[in-house]
Amino acid sequence: HVQLVESGGGSVQAGGSLTLSCAYSGHTYRSYCMGWFRQAPGKEREGVAAIDSDGCTSYADSVKGRFTISRDNAKNSAYLQMDSLQPEDTAMYYCAITRSAPALYGGSWHFPEQREYNYWGQGTQVTVS
C-alpha cells in the first residue's frame, strides 16, 4: 500500500518562504521520480518540479530560480523549498511518485508527464498574500 503524506503548507506574505515535505512509504520501485504539483482554485493541476533517482531536476518556468526540489532516499522523503513566494503561488500542493524515468528525445530530457504518476498524496495548502 503506497502512501504519500505532504506537510509544511501554510500562509505567508509575499516574498516569504516555505518548505514542503513529502513522506512516502509502501512502494517497491528501485528507481522512481518524485514530483510536486499544484492546483489553484478554478485551474487545472500543473507540474511544479520533479526529481529523478539520480537527483536530476526539472522545474516549471514559473518557479525556476525560486523553488528547489530535493529528496532524501534514506528517509523516503522529498522536499520543495519555496522562496520569494508570490500570490500566484497560492494553491493546493501535491506530491506524487512514478516509476517512469526521464526520457531523452528531441535533444533534451523530458520528465514523466502528470498522467504517468501512479500515487498521490492528499495535498497541503499554500496561501500567499
Side-chain angles (χ1 to χ4, degrees), residues 55-96:
C56 295
T57 59
S58 176
Y59 296 93
D61 288 342
S62 59
V63 306
K64 281 181 181 177
R66 300 189 299 123
F67 291 11
T68 304
I69 188 172
S70 61
R71 60 193 279 175
D72 185 334
N73 294 332
K75 295 183 178 179
N76 284 343
S77 294
Y79 309 94
L80 186 67
Q81 172 69 39
M82 304 185 296
D83 298 317
S84 301
L85 283 162
Q86 299 301 316
E88 53 265 34
D89 295 316
T90 295
M92 184 71 79
Y93 283 71
Y94 302 89
C95 68

Side-chain angles (χ1 to χ4, degrees), residues 29-128:
Y29 302 157
R30 297 185 65 180
S31 64
Y32 51 94
C33 283
M34 297 297 302
W36 283 98
F37 299 81
R38 66 186 182 186
Q39 186 167 22
K43 295 186 177 181
E44 293 187 354
R45 189 166 57 191
E46 63 177 358
V48 175
I51 185 168
D52 71 3
S53 294
D54 295 324
C56 295
T57 59
S58 176
Y59 296 93
D61 288 342
S62 59
V63 306
K64 281 181 181 177
R66 300 189 299 123
F67 291 11
T68 304
I69 188 172
S70 61
R71 60 193 279 175
D72 185 334
N73 294 332
K75 295 183 178 179
N76 284 343
S77 294
Y79 309 94
L80 186 67
Q81 172 69 39
M82 304 185 296
D83 298 317
S84 301
L85 283 162
Q86 299 301 316
E88 53 265 34
D89 295 316
T90 295
M92 184 71 79
Y93 283 71
Y94 302 89
C95 68
I97 187 171
T98 175
R99 68 173 65 191
S100 297
L104 178 63
Y105 59 89
S108 60
W109 287 97
H110 297 263
F111 271 69
E113 297 182 4
Q114 187 174 157
R115 59 181 172 81
E116 298 182 74
Y117 284 79
N118 311 93
Y119 299 98
W120 295 76
Q122 293 299 307
T124 185
Q125 178 67 38
V126 172
T127 302
V128 186

Side-chain angles (χ1 to χ4, degrees), residues 8-42:
S11 297
V12 295
Q13 292 188 335
S17 298
L18 282 174
T19 299
L20 305 183
S21 299
C22 174
Y24 47 91
S25 62
H27 74 86
T28 58
Y29 302 157
R30 297 185 65 180
S31 64
Y32 51 94
C33 283
M34 297 297 302
W36 283 98
F37 299 81
R38 66 186 182 186
Q39 186 167 22

